[in-house]
Amino acid sequence: MLSAAHDILSHQRASGNQSHVNPDPPLTPHNSSSRFDCNSVSTAAVLLADILPTLVIKLLAPLGLHLLPYSPRVLVSGICAAGSFLLVAFSHSVGTSLCGVVLASISSGLGEVTFLSLTAFYPRAVISWWSSGTGGAGLLGALSYLGLTQAGLSPQHTLLSMLGVPALLLASYFCLLTPPAPQEPGGEEEAETSARQPLMGSEAPESKPESRSNLSLPERWTVFKGLLPYIVPLVVVYFAEYFINQGLFELLFFRNTSLSHAQQYRWYQMLYQAGVFVSRSSLRCCHIRFTWVLALLQCLNLAFLLVDVWLSFLPSIYLVFLVVLYEGLLGGAAYVNTFHQIALETSDEHREFAMAAACISDTFGISLSGLLALPLHDFLCNLP
């Protein structure tokens, strides 16, 4: 959805399905005299529609989401994902498209909380594979959207082609995912029942008194405070990178290239996701304990690109491509190393809650970036 943000907002679809025929529809400028070639609405609007429902889910998740079994959560996530593709693909207005993005956000937020919590019932190494998988999902989504639209497929048909992904998600969970291995000594049959219950049962297993559902509010608050050294740097990293992605990408427009404005935006998104995928898959090669360094470097990235938007001193779009790839590397490294450290340093009885609580880090940072990117867009696009 974020890769399609520029396409969603670059036209109003006032002429029926005509806008779906051309993969690169003409822009509806915010200010025809502006050097930024702006849309009437910032892509930060899509970002907010994509992240605020996720933020609400992640805020509420530590309070009571554990009462709902994993299987219904995954089912709802898959249905919302499919609904989002259909709603955006057949939409004839920006408002309806944003409603489809909200459905995607519900799917994403519920899915991330669910699967990160579920990692608590598997070996710690699963965090590395989870991070690599989410990085690969972002890259595959951005790359497929870029490739299909570059090949001439309309945004509508590109979105419809993605409908197989939610079906694959449900099939993977219900048919391929193996229940967690027994984690308690003695009584293998009882341990297996205990391990299976969080996946399929209707409530937390009684045989695991340390389960998250039995943590008191003071215990949860204590655990959350202990997570702050990991949460705060991740918030800063995601604030900086999504301020770049949804606040600056659409303004980093180069006229001295064969790529259209919409194509430039898609390339930015794809290269960012490529960097994220590489760094999220790097845990076995490189561990970074002090993630605040990554936050500082990401803020320097933001400052550099913000100055370029204002002064336009970079002579080539390929230099921006390199910066965007580097930005993705920093973001992915911050994510995987943060959750790896949490998995290592939290006790077994707190790990499921800690994973769900730390989920709010990236979402909170992204939400802040969207709120600040909107006024920046309006200010810059009103400049002559």
Side-chain angles (χ1 to χ4, degrees):
M1 290 302 171
L2 295 182
S3 294
H6 195 275
D7 293 320
I8 290 173
L9 297 174
S10 63
H11 50 79
Q12 298 294 330
R13 295 187 172 99
S15 56
N17 286 332
Q18 181 181 357
S19 63
H20 297 309
V21 177
N22 184 4
D24 292 310
L27 296 174
T28 303
H30 178 277
N31 185 340
S32 58
S33 63
S34 171
R35 63 186 173 95
F36 294 109
D37 195 21
C38 299
N39 289 326
S40 58
V41 182
S42 169
T43 51
V46 175
L47 177 65
L48 289 175
D50 186 68
I51 205 64
L52 289 180
T54 295
L55 178 63
V56 172
I57 290 172
K58 290 184 177 182
L59 284 172
L60 298 178
L63 301 179
L65 190 62
H66 61 278
L67 300 175
L68 184 66
Y70 284 98
S71 296
R73 291 193 235 170
V74 175
L75 184 62
V76 171
S77 181
I79 292 173
C80 286
S84 71
F85 289 132
L86 290 170
L87 198 55
V88 175
F90 291 109
S91 169
H92 294 281
S93 70
V94 170
T96 306
S97 294
L98 291 180
C99 290
V101 177
V102 167
L103 276 182
S105 177
I106 294 172
S107 170
S108 174
L110 185 61
E112 185 176 8
V113 171
T114 296
F115 286 112
L116 264 178
S117 299
L118 195 57
T119 62
F121 299 95
Y122 290 85
R124 288 186 179 90
V126 80
I127 295 294
S128 173
W129 298 109
W130 156 264
S131 298
S132 180
T134 54
L139 176 60
L140 184 61
L143 188 60
S144 59
Y145 189 82
L146 172 66
L148 291 172
T149 52
Q150 286 281 108
L153 205 62
S154 70
Q156 179 194 32
H157 293 126
T158 299
L159 288 169
L160 290 176
S161 70
M162 303 293 174
L163 282 172
V165 177
L168 187 60
L169 163 69
L170 297 178
S172 299
Y173 177 82
F174 289 103
C175 301
L176 295 180
L177 182 64
T178 58
Q183 297 182 5
E184 302 197 18
E188 183 173 338
E189 183 177 349
E190 180 182 352
E192 183 174 355
T193 302
S194 173
R196 284 176 178 270
Q197 197 167 352
L199 197 62
M200 305 297 180
S202 59
E203 58 184 22
E206 295 181 4
S207 59
K208 289 188 72 175
E210 71 275 18
S211 178
R212 186 185 71 179
S213 61
N214 291 329
L215 293 179
S216 65
L217 286 177
E219 284 179 302
R220 295 181 190 184
W221 176 241
T222 300
V223 173
F224 182 78
K225 286 192 296 183
L227 294 173
L228 288 178
Y230 305 108
I231 288 177
V232 172
L234 196 58
V235 168
V236 174
V237 166
Y238 273 85
F239 166 78
E241 72 184 68
Y242 274 85
F243 194 95
I244 295 171
N245 292 0
Q246 305 306 130
L248 302 185
F249 276 2
E250 62 180 324
L251 304 176
L252 291 166
F253 175 47
F254 288 79
R255 300 179 187 273
N256 59 343
T257 176
S258 60
L259 297 174
S260 70
H261 196 167
Q263 289 171 336
Q264 290 179 38
Y265 183 87
R266 296 171 196 153
W267 271 99
Y268 292 150
Q269 293 288 348
M270 189 279 294
L271 289 169
Y272 162 75
Q273 294 291 355
V276 169
F277 171 63
V278 171
S279 56
R280 286 196 181 190
S281 305
S282 66
L283 188 61
R284 291 179 177 271
C285 304
C286 178
H287 292 174
I288 302 174
R289 179 178 176 81
F290 301 108
T291 53
W292 62 266
V293 175
L294 301 174
L296 177 61
L297 293 174
Q298 199 69 288
C299 288
L300 292 176
N301 258 352
L302 170 58
F304 178 79
L305 290 177
L306 191 58
V307 172
D308 180 64
V309 165
W310 184 261
L311 300 178
S312 298
F313 63 85
L314 289 177
S316 170
I317 191 174
Y318 297 105
L319 296 176
V320 178
F321 283 171
L322 290 176
V323 175
V324 169
L325 184 64
Y326 171 60
E327 173 212 348
L329 290 171
L330 293 177
Y335 184 94
V336 66
N337 283 280
T338 295
F339 283 102
H340 175 68
Q341 287 299 124
I342 291 173
L344 286 178
E345 298 187 15
T346 54
S347 60
D348 291 343
E349 63 268 24
H350 295 154
R351 190 169 300 117
E352 186 185 7
F353 168 78
M355 288 297 184
C359 269
I360 197 175
S361 307
D362 56 344
T363 308
F364 186 67
I366 295 170
S367 301
L368 288 177
S369 68
L371 291 171
L372 291 179
L374 282 173
L376 174 73
H377 171 276
D378 292 339
F379 171 72
L380 291 176
C381 288
N382 279 304
L383 293 175

